[in-house]
Amino acid sequence: MKNILITGGAGFIGSNLALKLIDQGYFVTVLDNLSEQIHGDDPDKSFTYNLIKNKVNMIVGDVNNSSDWEKVLKDCDVVVHLAAETGTGQSMYEIDKYVASNIGGTAKLLESLTNKENNVKKLIIASSRAVYGEGKFECRDHGIVFPESRLERYMSNGDYEVKCPICFQNVKMLPTDENSKLHPTSVYGFTKQAQEQLCMIVGKSIGLPVIAYRFQNVYGPGQSLKNPYTGILSIFSTIIKNGNDINIFEDGLETRDFVYIEDITDAIILGIEKNEVDSYVFNVGSGEKTDVLKVANTLKDKYGVDVKVNVSGNYRLGDIRHNLGDLNFIKEKLGYQPKISFEKGISNFVDWVELQNVEKDNYIKSIQEMKEKGLYK
Ligand code: NAD
């Protein structure tokens, strides 16, 4: 299993994975359309593209194009399908684009695998914790519950806590395991759920093992500092580096499971190397939760730039309150163990950002787009 195809391999996770695989003796092909939102209008200046372009068999192409799949699948042993549109908020108004790339592109891959001769022995796909929506909680009176999106009538009164869907009292967050109810609160999350299910159904019918990784919030060197639609650490970094103040949504106490890029690439390689004939879905995270206010203040302190961190009470419809992945299954099956603490990871990330050019701060523009669609309050 030496020939690995990485779609989206010029991006954040893909480029880090490609370099690690090459170091370990694999031969890597990358299929990537060098999307302007991620790489800017001159891909030759893209940090992650430059990391890999002379080290991999680089095919500039689109997952929505069947003939591009035929070019890259021929000699491939394992497909790691990462290419996707990735902005949760943006997906709520660019619906066609998200469905076309994330579901349509995967359908094109599965058609090629089903109908064209190939040697692919395993398919690995990047899913997301977004498939769970708010995730798993415990109600004092009703036990384990999987609440729907939070309601505007509470949020507009400054109550951001997740409620029991039966009695509407506040509930306690639990780590969300893979058997939790799937009910995404965003179009992005829906496309990831559909992608997973498509791959599982077709994989079974053609005898191809599939691993779907539900990544938590991935961060680290290589994260696009240009993209204002996704990645809290990179968005805050670009805001701070421009000397602009940070607007923290809700009360700042919303939490995320921030997982460092090396833990993610290690998990993918464990999946590539595990001799398995069955298909699996795994959470991949850090096992730690960190609130957004702490992220902003830590970054501000580390960059040493005097900007204000304002907790505004604004909120975005479709955002979740908390997330923390339950990692028991991936630990047991693949021997995965996250190694990088948030303190260490954020220091590495900041050291890397300090070496990059300061990108234009387009965050306000992205928020304006959400405001115009009535998704930002
Ligand atoms: P990224 O935006 O840095 O990389 C995605 C790459 O895909 C980019 O290089 C882009 O040019 C390419 N791409 C986009 N559309 C394409 C298309 N139609 N055809 C070919 N290439 C295309 O994103 P990332 O953070 O590296 O994420 C990789 C995968 O992991 C995505 O599927 C994403 O949904 C998933 N994921 C990421 C996170 C995270 O926190 N980074 C969390 C959960 C899931």
Side-chain angles (χ1 to χ4, degrees):
M1 306 248 256
K2 279 288 172 195
N3 292 320
I4 314 290
L5 167 65
I6 309 177
T7 73
F12 168 42
I13 297 175
S15 60
N16 279 285
L17 175 65
L19 293 183
K20 199 173 257 190
L21 285 169
I22 292 164
D23 264 0
Q24 297 186 12
Y26 287 91
F27 182 78
V28 175
T29 295
V30 163
L31 173 66
D32 198 299
N33 70 354
L34 303 177
S35 142
E36 188 172 338
Q37 185 165 307
I38 312 300
H39 300 282
D41 55 8
D42 180 2
D44 283 325
K45 295 195 183 131
S46 156
F47 177 83
T48 49
Y49 178 47
N50 275 308
L51 282 181
I52 54 130
K53 69 178 179 192
N54 297 321
K55 297 191 172 144
V56 302
N57 173 29
M58 181 71 213
I59 309 290
V60 178
D62 202 297
V63 296
N64 288 301
N65 190 341
S66 299
S67 61
D68 287 337
W69 280 115
E70 280 158 37
K71 279 184 218 157
V72 293
L73 285 176
K74 253 183 280 153
D75 300 315
C76 161
D77 296 313
V78 178
V79 178
V80 183
H81 181 33
L82 305 179
E85 297 294 341
T86 63
T88 308
Q90 190 184 36
S91 76
M92 301 303 283
Y93 52 92
E94 298 213 9
I95 299 158
D96 183 41
K97 181 164 106 177
Y98 274 72
V99 169
S101 275
N102 299 3
I103 303 178
T106 304
K108 293 254 170 17
L109 158 65
L110 295 170
E111 261 194 30
S112 284
L113 289 173
T114 303
N115 300 321
K116 304 279 173 190
E117 209 174 307
N118 65 76
N119 288 313
V120 175
K121 295 161 196 74
K122 191 181 285 182
L123 169 60
I124 294 180
I125 56 169
S127 184
S128 165
R129 65 85 39 223
V131 298
Y132 299 122
E134 293 285 356
K136 185 171 175 177
F137 287 78
E138 186 175 22
C139 170
R140 229 177 18 238
D141 296 327
H142 297 100
I144 303 292
V145 288
F146 298 98
E148 301 289 338
S149 293
R150 290 169 294 159
L151 297 174
E152 227 188 317
R153 70 167 187 266
Y154 292 108
M155 295 180 71
S156 59
N157 283 320
D159 179 354
Y160 309 110
E161 292 309 326
V162 179
K163 310 285 178 207
C164 171
I166 304 161
C167 65
F168 291 96
Q169 66 180 312
N170 288 353
V171 286
K172 185 175 134 220
M173 184 191 62
L174 298 175
T176 299
D177 61 78
E178 291 85 349
N179 294 321
S180 300
K181 182 173 169 182
L182 302 185
H183 60 163
T185 57
S186 64
V187 172
Y188 168 70
F190 166 76
T191 65
K192 288 289 168 182
Q193 179 184 351
Q195 178 189 43
E196 263 189 28
Q197 289 174 341
L198 267 180
C199 290
M200 291 299 167
I201 292 166
V202 177
K204 197 168 178 190
S205 91
I206 61 174
L208 180 70
V210 176
I211 297 182
Y213 286 114
R214 292 179 184 159
F215 299 143
Q216 310 291 312
N217 289 60
V218 190
Y219 73 101
Q223 202 170 350
S224 177
L225 297 164
K226 292 185 175 71
N227 185 358
Y229 297 99
T230 186
I232 297 179
L233 274 87
S234 50
I235 291 173
F236 285 175
S237 295
T238 297
I239 295 174
I240 296 169
K241 285 289 187 180
N242 276 274
N244 296 330
D245 296 340
I246 299 182
N247 174 8
I248 303 277
F249 297 159
E250 305 186 12
D251 54 4
L253 300 180
E254 55 276 20
T255 58
R256 298 291 182 267
D257 178 340
F258 292 104
V259 54
Y260 192 65
I261 181 66
E262 266 190 60
D263 286 326
I264 291 291
T265 52
D266 282 352
I268 298 174
I269 293 175
L270 285 170
I272 290 173
E273 295 186 340
K274 179 94 173 163
N275 271 331
E276 266 295 351
V277 288
D278 294 325
S279 292
Y280 292 101
V281 174
F282 295 117
N283 287 333
V284 196
S286 68
E288 280 182 71
K289 63 181 165 60
T290 307
D291 69 56
V292 170
L293 194 53
K294 177 173 173 188
V295 173
N297 283 323
T298 309
L299 288 171
K300 178 187 146 173
D301 292 348
K302 286 195 182 287
Y303 293 124
V305 179
D306 191 22
V307 297
K308 287 201 190 75
V309 174
N310 301 319
V311 177
S312 66
N314 291 131
Y315 55 93
R316 296 188 306 187
L317 297 178
D319 270 359
I320 58 157
R321 179 67 173 162
H322 300 298
N323 79 281
L324 181 64
D326 180 321
L327 305 179
N328 285 323
F329 189 47
I330 188 168
K331 286 181 177 173
E332 177 204 319
K333 272 277 163 205
L334 296 184
Y336 168 77
Q337 192 59 51
K339 295 186 188 76
I340 311 289
S341 67
F342 185 69
E343 280 64 34
K344 171 84 182 120
I346 199 166
S347 290
N348 293 353
F349 174 72
V350 164
D351 289 349
W352 171 76
V353 173
E354 294 287 15
L355 300 174
Q356 310 307 309
N357 293 330
V358 176
E359 296 294 343
K360 188 165 172 233
D361 180 7
N362 286 321
Y363 187 60
I364 296 296
K365 179 178 153 261
S366 77
I367 291 297
Q368 198 54 40
E369 285 174 15
M370 293 208 75
K371 252 188 206 161
E372 281 162 19
K373 318 287 172 197
L375 298 164
Y376 176 86
K377 305 285 172 178

